[in-house]
Amino acid sequence: MAKLALINREAKRRKMVEKFKAKREALEAIVNDESRSEEDRYEARLKIQALPRNSSSVRLRNRCQLTGRPRGVFRKFGLGRSKLRDFVMRGEVPGMTKASW
């Protein structure tokens, strides 16, 4: 089980990304618009840099919903590989079976 502080930090980051999403997208649109002047684009870059670091979606990390494990997480299920394996072995995931050939 991951430390509760790490799980809470990730939740805080997700909230912050959602809060600044519209502002960040608007500024990035200005930066990527080549029809605008260089000064406007430069000012937009400075404003993006002034935003909090944790408001960037790049800093998010997928975690297992049950254990908080950061690695080996399947996006489709939101579970870590070990917990997914437990569910599959108990037959709780429809359509998934143990591989055999």
Side-chain angles (χ1 to χ4, degrees):
M1 184 91 182
K3 288 185 178 179
L4 189 60
L6 297 177
I7 295 171
N8 290 340
R9 184 186 307 160
E10 188 65 27
K12 183 179 174 184
R13 281 186 182 146
R14 289 195 185 277
K15 285 181 193 172
M16 191 165 285
V17 166
E18 194 61 36
K19 179 179 177 183
F20 286 95
K21 186 176 184 179
K23 188 172 189 177
R24 185 174 286 274
E25 284 177 354
L27 290 171
E28 286 176 0
I30 293 171
V31 169
N32 294 330
D33 185 10
E34 294 188 14
S35 64
R36 291 192 178 247
S37 68
E38 285 296 320
E39 292 81 21
D40 290 341
R41 294 171 70 192
Y42 181 70
E43 287 176 21
R45 275 191 217 104
L46 292 178
K47 288 179 182 177
I48 287 176
Q49 290 173 0
L51 293 176
R53 281 187 181 175
N54 286 335
S55 68
S56 174
S57 63
V58 177
R59 293 175 67 94
L60 294 178
R61 180 86 177 163
N62 289 336
R63 288 187 174 270
C64 175
Q65 295 294 316
L66 297 177
T67 62
R69 188 177 201 279
R71 295 173 184 246
V73 178
F74 287 78
R75 287 182 186 176
K76 184 174 183 177
F77 305 103
L79 297 173
R81 59 181 174 76
S82 56
K83 288 297 174 185
L84 181 62
R85 183 177 187 274
D86 292 342
F87 283 122
V88 169
M89 291 303 191
R90 283 188 266 153
E92 295 179 11
V93 181
M96 283 190 80
T97 57
K98 185 177 176 183
S100 61
W101 57 93

